[in-house]
């Protein structure tokens, strides 16, 4: 599925060309609280409503990191379509939004503990975002595209899984390399590891988190997990949070990339920031180690701010 001038790993790409992201666009309600939630009564929090969604976040971070042509295909409800389009354009992304006449825009409540780790818990109503289907796809979306990236959330509903199959076939036909971020260990468990792995067969780059890599392989050690996955995928980049990233190829870990230092305020979207920056660097001609280092720097920037998107302006 690689474009002319690339190898099977998708790491020696000819600089230039667009990045097309297909994935979720949601409204994030971020509630930052200190200490445990208090059942049955009030917990003081700082609450903000922000644009989000793993697919949309990846696209915005890729644009922020210098990718000149980033496009996003996603589905939203009529309730927030104009706001999301405006926010995406402000971040340098060219949105291709399908407006759903029935379902509301997806909403995620992000509960963020303002302690030292800034860990978060998500309550997710995917809404219109998982109603993307094959009718929303056109091969013309790949015109001028050098890489296709699929958000893992697409694999968690039947209509969007069908769209994935069509998009992958289109990419194969055009020689466009494809990357996938599995997105959610919880949803992967519900879908089933074998079903997910069968759906992503032929993908060039897999970008799992530590937990997702371990879940996909059944191995407790993330390095072992990344190595095993790299026997199935030409390039595996396992995101390790504060431990940086692992790069695996050909059944072994080839590099460990350290994280950039940061004092986290909100870890929402840190993995998306890494993915977007990593893909932008690949498209600019970087090797995986350099691209991962750029991803780690973007992740550090992401955790210093509230919400999953890069700063605008």
């Amino acid at each position: 599925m690689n474009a002319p001038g690339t190898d099977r790993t998708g790491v020696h790409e000819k600089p230039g060309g667009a990045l097309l992201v297909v994935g979720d666009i949601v409204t994030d309600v971020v509630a930052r609280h200190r200490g445990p939630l208090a059942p049955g009564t009030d917990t003081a929090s700082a609450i903000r409503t922000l644009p989000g969604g793993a697919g949309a976040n990846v696209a915005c971070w890729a644009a922020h990191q210098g990718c000149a042509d980033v496009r996003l295909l996603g589905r939203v409800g009529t309730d927030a379509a104009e706001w999301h389009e405006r926010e995406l354009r402000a971040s340098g992304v060219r949105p291709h939004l399908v407006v759903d006449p029935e379902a509301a825009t997806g909403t995620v409540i992000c509960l963020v503990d303002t302690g030292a780790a800034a860990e978060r818990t998500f309550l997710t109503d995917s809404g219109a975002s998982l109603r993307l289907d094959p009718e929303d796809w056109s091969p013309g979306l790949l015109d001028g595209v050098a890489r296709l990236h699929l958000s893992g959330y697409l694999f968690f509903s039947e209509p969007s899984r069908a769209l994935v199959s069509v998009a992958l076939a289109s990419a194969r036909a055009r020689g466009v390399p494809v990357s996938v971020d599995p997105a959610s260990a919880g949803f992967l468990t519900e879908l089933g590891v074998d079903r997910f792995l069968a759906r992503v067969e032929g993908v060039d780059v897999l970008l799992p988190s530590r937990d997702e890599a371990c879940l996909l392989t059944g191995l407790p050690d993330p390095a072992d997990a990344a190595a095993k996955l790299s026997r199935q995928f030409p390039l595996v980049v396992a995101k390790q949070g504060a431990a940086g990233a692992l790069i695996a190829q050909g059944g072994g870990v080839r590099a460990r990339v350290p994280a950039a230092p940061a004092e986290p305020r909100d870890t929402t979207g840190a993995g998306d920031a890494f993915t977007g920056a990593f893909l932008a660097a690949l498209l600019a001609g970087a090797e995986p180690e350099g691209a991962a280092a750029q991803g780690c720097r973007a992740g550090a920037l992401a955790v210093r701010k509230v919400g999953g998107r890069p700063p605008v302006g």
Side-chain angles (χ1 to χ4, degrees):
M1 296 188 297
N2 297 72
T6 69
D7 64 13
R8 181 67 179 90
T9 66
V11 300
H12 299 295
E13 300 185 37
K14 182 179 178 180
L19 170 67
L20 172 62
V21 179
V22 182
D24 47 316
I25 304 165
V26 305
T27 300
D28 284 343
V29 179
V30 182
R32 300 177 68 242
H33 59 94
R34 179 169 292 279
L37 298 174
T41 186
D42 296 307
T43 300
S45 304
I47 300 174
R48 295 179 64 186
T49 300
L50 300 165
N57 292 346
V58 167
C60 290
W61 279 101
H64 184 265
Q65 294 296 311
C67 189
D69 187 352
V70 183
R71 310 169 191 179
L72 173 68
L73 173 64
R75 196 174 183 101
V76 294
T78 57
D79 56 318
E82 291 184 3
W83 178 60
H84 277 292
E85 178 161 0
R86 186 168 61 248
E87 292 290 330
L88 288 164
R89 291 191 182 280
S91 292
V93 175
R94 294 171 55 188
H96 297 269
L97 302 187
V98 180
V99 180
D100 194 303
E102 299 177 3
T105 303
T107 301
V108 175
I109 298 174
C110 310
L111 304 176
V112 182
D113 188 334
T114 57
E119 284 300 334
R120 74 271 193 260
T121 301
F122 297 147
L123 303 176
T124 302
D125 177 356
S126 297
S129 66
L130 293 189
R131 287 164 57 94
L132 273 172
D133 63 35
E135 292 186 3
D136 299 325
W137 177 261
S138 166
L141 289 167
L142 291 174
D143 291 349
V145 167
R147 174 167 289 279
L148 170 65
H149 177 73
L150 302 175
S151 167
Y153 284 101
L154 294 169
F155 296 85
F156 305 136
S157 79
E158 191 53 47
S160 54
R161 281 195 293 271
L163 176 138
V164 165
S165 297
V166 173
L168 285 173
S170 291
R172 289 188 186 100
R174 292 199 180 203
V176 175
V178 182
S179 55
V180 170
D181 186 330
S184 169
F187 285 158
L188 275 176
T189 300
E190 291 183 21
L191 174 65
V193 166
D194 291 342
R195 292 180 69 194
F196 176 80
L197 291 174
R199 292 277 182 174
V200 295
E201 185 178 356
V203 162
D204 299 82
V205 181
L206 189 71
L207 294 131
S209 69
R210 176 181 54 243
D211 291 344
E212 292 155 6
C214 292
L215 176 63
L216 288 170
T217 59
L219 298 175
D221 182 80
D224 292 342
K228 182 176 179 179
L229 286 170
S230 73
R231 298 186 193 109
Q232 181 172 351
F233 302 95
L235 177 63
V236 173
V237 183
K239 296 171 283 187
Q240 308 289 296
L246 300 170
I247 298 173
Q249 286 182 297
V253 173
R254 94 176 212 182
R256 297 173 183 263
V257 179
E263 292 187 11
R265 294 182 65 204
D266 174 12
T267 56
T268 303
D272 303 331
F274 179 100
T275 297
F278 178 85
L279 295 176
L282 278 190
L283 283 169
E287 295 292 326
E289 290 87 348
Q294 185 162 317
C296 286
R297 289 191 290 271
L301 177 61
V303 302
R304 295 189 191 113
K305 61 182 292 298
V306 176
R309 298 277 180 90
V312 176

